[in-house]
Amino acid sequence: MVGIVGVAGLAGAGKTTAVEYFKRLTGGRVLYLGQSVLGQVRARGLSETRDNERGVRIDLRHEKGRAALALPYVGTVAQYLANKIPVFVDAIYTQEEFSVLKACFPPRSAHLLAIKASFAVRSTRLAKREERTYSCDELRKRDETELKKLGTGAVFAAAEHTIRNEKSLAGFYRDLAAFLDLCS
């Protein structure tokens, strides 16, 4: 049985689609680590813009360490574990975030999945998205922040499995289901 799956990927790779699919398959719960950033943006009286979110995200990690976005969820994760409810995390950007959350689970019940897609595929998806669309320049800037400042590339390298999401949605779902089977 899956305990926790952390999903890593750059914007537009399919992280949210993956965790929502996992939830449908298992009845598990989704944790969106970015919610803590949005909460802080609101608490600070800032408007919900990409620049403010990025600034708060950086501030939180500077103040509380590289696991800052995961820390508010440790109790929630422990509670789900106690009730044998699988947890799917959207999204892991630093190794420390996943380490803090997986510490709540027994060995071999915590899994890290990297989802990758080319810049061209991701930029096309993000341009069409109803909410939080990105231009190519905005996406390049976000990629640079995630890869250079957060070290998300190290998270990809640490992932036990990688799915390339450039197929149809049905093909992506097949790959995700196969990953869950490997975790069981």
Side-chain angles (χ1 to χ4, degrees):
M1 177 63 170
V2 171
I4 186 168
V5 173
V7 180
L10 297 173
K15 299 178 302 292
T16 302
T17 300
V19 297
E20 290 297 330
Y21 183 67
F22 291 153
K23 177 183 173 181
R24 282 195 310 271
L25 286 179
T26 67
R29 300 295 187 273
V30 171
L31 293 181
Y32 173 57
L33 297 189
Q35 191 61 47
S36 59
V37 173
L38 294 174
Q40 276 296 304
V41 166
R42 292 176 190 134
R44 295 177 186 190
L46 303 171
S47 57
E48 293 181 29
T49 66
R50 275 193 193 97
D51 287 337
N52 287 340
E53 289 175 25
R54 183 175 45 254
V56 166
R57 198 176 296 115
I58 290 167
D59 287 350
L60 286 173
R61 287 186 173 116
H62 179 73
E63 294 165 11
K64 298 179 181 180
R66 294 176 54 83
L69 302 188
L71 292 172
Y73 297 101
V74 170
T76 302
V77 168
Q79 183 178 17
Y80 289 146
L81 171 61
N83 291 303
K84 298 183 187 319
I85 299 171
V87 177
F88 305 103
V89 183
D90 180 2
I92 301 294
Y93 290 106
T94 69
Q95 288 180 296
E96 294 84 354
E97 289 169 345
F98 189 61
S99 293
V100 162
L101 296 174
K102 82 176 187 178
C104 298
F105 285 88
R108 289 183 272 197
S109 66
H111 306 277
L112 183 58
L113 171 65
I115 300 177
K116 294 185 176 184
S118 69
F119 182 85
V121 168
R122 293 183 304 110
S123 63
T124 299
R125 286 178 186 153
L126 293 172
K128 294 177 185 175
R129 212 158 62 173
E130 287 184 31
E131 293 181 14
R132 300 177 61 212
T133 60
Y134 282 82
S135 69
C136 285
D137 288 339
E138 290 169 328
L139 183 57
R140 277 190 195 89
K141 185 176 180 179
R142 180 166 177 160
D143 285 358
E144 183 177 324
T145 298
E146 291 174 7
L147 293 169
K148 292 184 179 176
K149 291 185 180 177
L150 297 179
T152 303
V155 176
F156 295 154
E160 67 187 74
H161 195 76
T162 299
I163 293 175
R164 191 115 189 124
N165 181 17
E166 296 192 348
K167 304 175 192 174
S168 67
L169 187 57
F172 185 44
Y173 285 164
R174 277 191 302 275
D175 291 345
L176 292 169
F179 167 75
L180 275 185
D181 285 343
L182 289 173
C183 295
S184 298

